[in-house]
Amino acid sequence: MDIQVCIGSGCHLKGAHFVINRLKRLISDHQSGAGITLRASFCQEHCTEGVVVRIDGTIIKRVTVDNIETHFLEAVSRR
């Protein structure tokens, strides 16, 4: 699974670094790290709808530390 978190200026200001830290903990806590790549990316072209996360090519908008766990678990369950 490939997870990309936008760190462009808009998403950075909306807390992308908090989302990245939460994802790191989720990957570790759920022992699902095997086969998961977490990386930062630049602009995903949805600046007004950030934080933007792309999981296996699917764009997820308006991601926060409060809803990233739901998105992560849904993606893991589809694997």
Side-chain angles (χ1 to χ4, degrees):
M1 178 172 18
D2 181 51
I3 303 173
Q4 299 175 31
V5 180
C6 179
I7 58 166
S9 57
C11 288
H12 174 74
L13 291 172
K14 292 176 183 171
H17 55 289
F18 295 119
V19 172
I20 290 170
N21 288 335
R22 182 71 179 121
L23 278 166
K24 287 178 182 177
R25 285 192 303 268
L26 286 168
I27 291 167
S28 175
D29 291 351
H30 289 87
Q31 299 177 355
S32 55
I36 297 177
T37 303
L38 174 61
R39 56 193 170 117
S41 69
F42 289 105
C43 189
Q44 297 286 319
E45 305 294 326
H46 298 280
C47 301
T48 61
E49 302 170 281
V51 171
V52 177
V53 174
R54 185 183 299 255
I55 301 178
D56 288 336
T58 301
I59 293 177
I60 305 166
K61 304 169 192 170
R62 295 181 176 85
V63 176
T64 66
V65 292
D66 296 325
N67 67 18
I68 188 57
E69 183 171 5
T70 300
H71 295 299
F72 174 79
L73 293 175
E74 287 173 2
V76 167
S77 71
R78 290 190 301 260
R79 288 179 37 173

